[in-house]
Structures are given as structure tokens and as C-alpha cells.
Amino acid sequence: FAISIVAILIAGMLSIPAAFPAAHKIVNTQPLTNQANSRRSRFWVQLPLILSRCGFMLCRVIPEYILAFLLVSLLGPSAWPAILALAIHNFGILGRLGAETIENTPVEIPRALYAQGLRRSQVTFTAILPMSATRWCIFFFYRWETCIREATVLGMLGIASIGYWVRETRARDWYDEMLFFTLVGAGLVLIVDLISTATRRAIRQH
């Protein structure tokens, strides 16, 4: 439970600022307008988009289990390999979802503010970020559900989680204790699923 919370908080906090360079309507030389970019500026517009989206893709395509396996060899069998593996993978997912959320945000209000002379950063923090916050929260809690499941599985690598105790009891043929830890893990996942579902439902209603 603690591993999943720390991991998703790290991923969430880092993905919010990283999502903006991956959105066309933010990094465009003429943001929130219909004006086309010049050929000279087109490369510099595309560069942060390409780098950001490639970074998100790289974080997404590497499974958490492989990341944790590599980090265990570097950091030892502590909780941090699991935390960092989950944070890196979910950073890529939340960053890409955040960029798509920004792209799908209605442009009428931000465009009007930009036309009135507000700077790009002011429009971003006063209009685009609040308008996309609800969708971001829904994605955040959905990925938290996944983190709690993966944190249990990563214990098979020797990381201190319920999966570790499942592996140890299985190795000693203590099947009653193995069943107990398996049920504890399933119950914990169920509790987090219920919390996440209720929170996302409340966010949608508001």
C-alpha cells in the first residue's frame, strides 16, 4: 500500500509539468490560435513535442517488472526499486494521458484570455490546468489501482511487499500462510479499487 502511494505521487507530480511540452496547443509558437507556424519555427516547435512524447513512450514500453529487476541489482532488495519502477512506468502513462487531456481541452476560454494579452504561462495556469484537472484526477486514481496490483507482484523479486511473503511461504511449503498472504493482497487490492472507484465517481459528478 505504501509503495503504491509513494510511486503514484511521484509519477503524478512529475507528469503534470512534463505533459505541457507534449501538447501542441501549448508549445506552438502561436498557441491557441489558428495561425500556422513558419518553416523556421516548425523544427523548434516539434523538438519538445518529439522529445517529450518519446520519453513518455520509453517509460511506458518497459514493463515495471523489468525496471524493478534492473533497479534491484543497483539498489538492493529494498522498497525503492519497486517505487521507482512503478513511478517511471506510470510517469510515461500519466504524461501521455495528460498531454492528450490538454489537447482535448476546449479552447474558447483560453483563446479569449490569450487574445486579451495574457502570457502563455498565465493562460496555462489560470485556464487550461483547472479545466483539465478533473480528467487528470480520474486518470491518477485509475493508475493508483494498477500500482497496488503491481506492487504486490514485484515482491516476487525479493522486494518487501506481500508478494515477497507469498514467495517465501511457497518456498517453505507453508501453504496455509501462503493462502493467508494471497488473501491479504487480494483484500488490499479490493479496498484500493473501491476507494479509487468512489473517488472517480465523485469527481465525475462534480
Side-chain angles (χ1 to χ4, degrees), residues 9-164:
L9 286 177
I10 293 174
M13 288 187 295
L14 294 179
S15 65
I16 291 176
F20 289 97
H24 289 84
K25 68 170 57 176
I26 299 297
V27 301
N28 196 307
T29 55
Q30 295 293 330
L32 305 169
T33 68
N34 297 322
Q35 299 182 27
N37 300 316
S38 65
R39 292 185 177 181
R40 179 176 298 179
S41 64
R42 192 171 299 166
F43 171 77
W44 299 108
V45 171
Q46 295 297 324
L47 184 60
L49 286 169
I50 294 172
L51 294 178
S52 299
R53 298 201 173 210
C54 286
F56 292 151
M57 183 179 64
L58 181 62
C59 293
R60 292 197 314 273
V61 298
I62 303 177
E64 301 98 318
Y65 198 85
I66 295 177
L67 285 172
F69 179 78
L70 297 175
L71 291 170
V72 164
S73 62
L74 295 175
L75 304 177
S78 64
W80 280 108
I83 291 173
L84 295 177
L86 292 171
I88 292 170
H89 185 76
N90 283 278
F91 166 77
I93 295 175
L94 290 175
R96 179 56 188 271
L97 292 175
E100 295 300 326
T101 299
I102 295 171
E103 291 289 351
N104 294 325
T105 301
V107 298
E108 288 77 11
I109 296 177
R111 182 177 293 172
L113 294 175
Y114 187 75
Q116 291 176 6
L118 270 69
R119 293 192 300 271
R120 188 193 315 245
S121 59
Q122 292 175 320
V123 174
T124 298
F125 287 105
T126 60
I128 296 178
L129 184 58
M131 293 172 65
S132 58
T134 299
R135 181 63 58 181
W136 244 324
C137 289
I138 292 173
F139 291 142
F140 176 86
F141 281 100
Y142 175 73
R143 292 309 306 173
W144 183 37
E145 295 179 21
T146 306
C147 277
I148 193 68
R149 297 187 187 95
E150 296 299 329
T152 301
V153 175
L154 292 180
M156 303 296 178
L157 294 174
I159 297 170
S161 72
I162 293 177
Y164 170 80

Side-chain angles (χ1 to χ4, degrees), residues 168-186:
E168 290 298 302
T169 52
R170 171 63 182 84
R172 292 176 171 79
D173 295 331
W174 296 345
Y175 294 106
D176 54 343
E177 294 189 16
M178 184 186 72
L179 178 61
F180 170 77
F181 286 119
T182 301
L183 293 176
V184 169

